[in-house]
Amino acid sequence: GGHTRESLLGHTIFEMYPGVEKSNIFSYYKRCMDERIPLHFEESYTFTDGTTTWNNFSVVPVPEGIFVFALDITGRKTIEEQLRKNEARLKVALSLIKFTLFNQDVDLRYTWIFQSQIGLTDEQIIGKTDEEIMIANPETAQKMTEIKRGVLQSGKSAHVQVEYKHFNKILHYSIFVEPLFSIEGQIVGVTGASLDITEQKRTEDEITKSREQLQQLYRHLNDVKEAERATIAREIHDELGQDLASLKIDLI
């Protein structure tokens, strides 16, 4: 806090750090002093000049009072706070694109999931397999299990698109699965991502239906044109034939 060793020696903590008795740090100091038990904690402190630091404290009772070891971890805390903010921004970004991330062990039981999209909480999913979770969608669960087992055996990534019935809706998901490796390089499960492509599928179906309707309309127009051409040709043939016959009679 801007003090030197010489300026601190011989003075009380109250003299050198005004208001310290109101801090959490002092409450730990007092507890160690009164109960004579060692304590370990992380805490921040704001000095009179407005500077705030974080320290990792180890407080141990000694015959003279207490021994305090404080390690400055302000840099680490700053990084952790930045990571927390980045993670929050990432969650917002992923929530906008309807993305689910997951990890499963070698038994294909979920060990971690982020942003489930099937109406279940993380607690209802962790520790269970796809068959146990998707009771109402057994065919989809079996298809996903086969793909993931293939990834476990081959060590190669895979991609599959599946349908999922949720109440009265049919949802479509594009699922990417990759092997999950340990530090030693062994496959310890699978990791992957599931993307909701229901809107994309609906758009593709509408485009396909529009193309079919255009093709039908095109064929109908061609039929109308051919019929019209035949009618015109017939009329021209009949009228021209009559005119030529009359002309031939006149010439005779």
Side-chain angles (χ1 to χ4, degrees):
H3 297 295
T4 64
R5 177 177 180 275
E6 289 73 18
S7 64
L8 286 172
L9 289 176
H11 296 279
T12 67
I13 193 173
F14 310 107
E15 294 172 337
M16 305 308 295
Y17 301 100
V20 70
E21 66 276 5
K22 299 177 182 179
S23 69
N24 290 333
I25 296 174
F26 182 76
S27 64
Y28 283 112
Y29 285 0
K30 189 173 187 304
R31 183 185 173 193
C32 179
M33 181 77 77
D34 295 341
E35 301 179 18
R36 313 305 291 168
I37 57 173
L39 298 174
H40 182 78
F41 59 93
E42 292 181 358
E43 194 60 65
S44 65
Y45 185 78
T46 301
F47 298 98
T48 53
D49 62 356
T51 304
T52 299
T53 63
W54 276 88
N55 283 273
N56 186 312
F57 291 93
S58 292
V59 188
V60 182
V62 293
E64 297 85 355
I66 58 173
F67 172 83
V68 179
F69 177 80
L71 177 64
D72 191 331
I73 57 170
T74 306
R76 192 197 82 192
K77 282 290 184 179
T78 301
I79 294 173
E80 288 177 353
E81 177 63 19
Q82 188 61 46
L83 288 174
R84 187 190 64 78
K85 291 180 180 179
N86 291 342
E87 184 179 355
R89 285 194 288 266
L90 178 61
K91 287 182 178 179
V92 172
L94 289 176
S95 66
L96 296 176
I97 60 174
K98 297 182 179 180
F99 225 110
T100 295
L101 304 176
F102 62 86
N103 286 347
Q104 291 172 269
D105 59 21
V106 290
D107 295 323
L108 295 181
R109 294 188 178 277
Y110 285 90
T111 57
W112 174 79
I113 191 163
F114 172 74
Q115 199 168 290
S116 169
Q117 298 173 11
I118 58 175
L120 299 176
T121 64
D122 294 356
E123 290 73 18
Q124 292 173 313
I125 295 175
I126 299 299
K128 296 181 180 179
T129 64
D130 289 316
E131 284 83 357
E132 293 171 336
I133 295 170
M134 296 186 285
I135 299 176
N137 294 266
E139 293 181 1
T140 299
Q142 184 179 0
K143 186 176 181 180
M144 290 175 61
T145 298
E146 290 175 356
I147 291 294
K148 292 171 183 177
R149 281 177 180 165
V151 171
L152 286 174
Q153 294 172 0
S154 67
K156 297 180 180 179
S157 59
H159 172 232
V160 62
Q161 291 187 4
V162 298
E163 289 185 359
Y164 184 82
K165 297 178 183 177
H166 186 60
F167 294 107
N168 59 341
K169 294 181 180 179
I170 300 295
L171 304 177
H172 296 269
Y173 292 97
S174 182
I175 302 174
F176 302 87
V177 185
E178 292 185 351
L180 184 63
F181 294 95
S182 66
I183 298 176
E184 294 78 16
Q186 297 177 338
I187 297 178
V188 293
V190 295
T191 182
S194 173
L195 178 64
D196 188 340
I197 57 171
T198 305
E199 291 299 326
Q200 178 183 334
K201 273 287 186 181
R202 185 178 294 115
T203 302
E204 290 176 355
D205 292 342
E206 290 176 355
I207 291 174
T208 301
K209 189 180 296 182
S210 297
R211 285 176 179 169
E212 292 175 353
Q213 291 174 346
L214 285 173
Q215 289 175 352
Q216 291 176 359
L217 178 60
Y218 180 72
R219 287 194 293 267
H220 177 68
L221 289 175
N222 279 339
D223 292 342
V224 171
K225 285 181 180 179
E226 290 299 325
E228 186 177 356
R229 286 173 183 168
T231 302
I232 293 173
R234 188 166 49 251
E235 289 176 353
I236 291 174
H237 178 270
D238 292 345
E239 291 179 6
L240 185 58
Q242 291 176 4
D243 291 341
L244 288 173
S246 298
L247 183 58
K248 182 178 180 180
I249 293 172
D250 289 344
L251 287 174
I252 292 173

